[in-house]
């Protein structure tokens, strides 16, 4: 399943863009959060593709799959940053427009994607833990 | 794999989805029985509960309570033989080196295809049989 990015935008604070969001937080040389946010219909198709069968959003496996996907995306992003940082075990929240606590006060970059399963948004507010090296 | 004796595999991952994907992949190569753990602490309990041992252990790097590297160290304190495969993300590759030093035998990066996963399993088992 390939996803195509559209133009990025910024927001002053981190908030869930869509219904279901996976959240991973960085600590170490880079601090902040990575959020993968899906409309519920997209999330259901993505989870079905990952698990091989439809999963009801109320089932623990549903949040587990969204969290694991966020973990993989954040892990890949971390390798591109080339920093020594730890990433938390992912958490998943349900609800759009919810504020997300992040150790970074950097502006949030929102990157919308379109995939065969539908649209989703990657939200990132990572910053260097050492401002002098930013 | 001997058809008459199933391979006993321990899957350690806080994601039940990842454990499920690994189980699905492993059942394509033969008769396999599974034990599962959601973190390192649960894994040590599972190992204690299976005195007959496991033929293969998969360990996620990033887990709550006890992470994968700590678990590998704990296993290797008493078991130098059972092959351990680290399951990690692209961003945790540096920690894989740490895990290999601690005694892990191989690693695979998520996301992976079933084919890539099985190839890594076969390679790990072949390398272990050569070393034995």
């Amino acid at each position: 399943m390939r996803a195509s990015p559209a133009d990025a935008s910024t927001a002053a604070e981190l908030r869930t863009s869509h219904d279901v969001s996976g959240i991973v937080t960085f600590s170490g040389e880079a601090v902040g959060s990575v959020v993968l946010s899906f409309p519920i219909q997209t999330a259901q198709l993505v989870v079905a593709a990952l698990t091989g069968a439809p999963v009801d959003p109320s089932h623990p496996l549903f949040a587990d799959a969204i969290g694991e996907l966020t973990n993989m995306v954040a892990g890949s992003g971390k390798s591109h940053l080339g920093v020594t940082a730890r990433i938390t075990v992912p958490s998943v929240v349900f609800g759009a427009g919810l504020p997300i606590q992040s150790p970074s006060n950097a502006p949030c970059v929102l990157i919308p994607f379109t995939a065969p399963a539908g649209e989703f948004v990657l939200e990132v507010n990572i910053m260097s833990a050492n401002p002098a090296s930013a | 794999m001997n058809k008459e004796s199933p391979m006993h595999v321990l899957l350690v991952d806080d994601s039940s989805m990842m454990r499920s994907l690994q189980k699905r992949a492993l059942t394509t190569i033969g008769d396999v029985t599974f034990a599962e753990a959601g973190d390192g602490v649960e894994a040590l309990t599972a190992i204690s509960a299976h005195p007959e041992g496991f033929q293969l252990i998969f360990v996620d790097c990033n887990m709550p309570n006890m992470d994968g590297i700590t678990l590998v160290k704990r296993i290797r304190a008493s078991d130098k033989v059972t092959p351990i495969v680290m399951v990690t993300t692209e961003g945790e590759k540096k920690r894989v080196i740490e895990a290999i030093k601690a005694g892990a035998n191989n690693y695979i990066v998520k996301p992976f295809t079933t084919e890539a996963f099985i190839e890594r399993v076969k390679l790990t088992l072949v390398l272990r049989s050569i070393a034995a």
Side-chain angles (χ1 to χ4, degrees):
Chain A
M1 193 181 288
R2 287 196 171 275
S4 305
D7 291 341
S9 61
T10 58
E13 62 178 358
L14 207 56
R15 281 181 181 272
T16 56
S17 294
H18 292 299
D19 309 316
V20 186
S21 301
I23 305 164
V24 166
T25 301
F26 283 53
S27 62
E29 291 178 4
V31 295
S33 300
V34 171
V35 180
L36 210 49
S37 193
F38 301 88
I40 189 69
Q41 296 87 347
T42 306
Q44 286 178 296
L45 290 170
V46 168
V47 171
L50 280 169
T51 60
V55 179
D56 190 275
S58 64
H59 193 283
L61 187 60
F62 189 88
D64 184 285
I66 293 295
E68 189 55 38
L69 183 62
T70 309
N71 184 43
M72 292 180 204
V73 170
S76 177
K78 190 184 118 177
S79 74
H80 286 95
L81 285 173
V83 296
T84 301
R86 299 291 295 266
I87 57 177
T88 60
V89 173
S91 57
V92 174
V93 296
F94 288 80
L98 302 175
I100 298 168
Q101 292 291 327
S102 174
S104 163
N105 57 10
C108 176
V109 178
L110 307 171
I111 309 168
F113 283 84
T114 303
E119 61 180 23
F120 63 93
V121 175
L122 175 64
E123 308 170 19
V124 181
N125 81 332
I126 303 287
M127 59 183 258
S128 171
N130 177 7
S133 64
Chain B
M1 199 186 319
N2 184 347
K3 284 183 179 177
E4 292 178 4
S5 60
M7 179 166 68
H8 301 295
V9 176
L10 174 60
L11 305 173
V12 190
D13 199 310
D14 59 313
S15 166
S16 58
M17 182 199 75
M18 287 308 302
R19 298 197 304 268
S20 180
L21 293 178
Q22 291 166 19
K23 276 200 285 191
R24 200 190 308 162
L26 285 164
T27 49
T28 66
I29 62 171
D31 191 6
V32 184
T33 63
F34 299 98
E36 299 183 46
D39 59 41
V41 175
E42 287 184 13
L44 292 174
T45 303
I47 290 167
S48 299
H50 290 78
E52 73 279 14
F54 295 98
Q55 277 82 56
L56 190 56
I57 301 176
F58 291 90
V59 177
D60 183 28
C61 224
N62 192 20
M63 295 184 292
N65 301 325
M66 183 191 291
D67 69 10
I69 293 168
T70 305
L71 174 61
V72 171
K73 289 176 181 170
R74 294 285 296 271
I75 293 172
R76 285 293 180 245
S78 57
D79 172 6
K80 312 288 186 198
V81 177
T82 307
I84 300 174
V85 179
M86 296 301 294
V87 182
T88 183
T89 62
E90 188 70 28
E92 299 293 321
K93 270 186 173 175
K94 284 181 183 172
R95 297 190 71 212
V96 167
I97 296 168
E98 203 182 325
I100 298 290
K101 286 179 180 172
N105 300 86
N106 213 330
Y107 75 97
I108 187 162
V109 176
K110 298 182 282 188
F112 45 75
T113 62
T114 298
E115 292 75 22
F117 181 76
I118 294 303
E119 281 306 309
R120 195 56 61 102
V121 169
K122 288 179 177 174
L123 177 63
T124 304
L125 293 173
V126 166
L127 290 174
R128 170 50 70 189
S129 68
I130 292 169

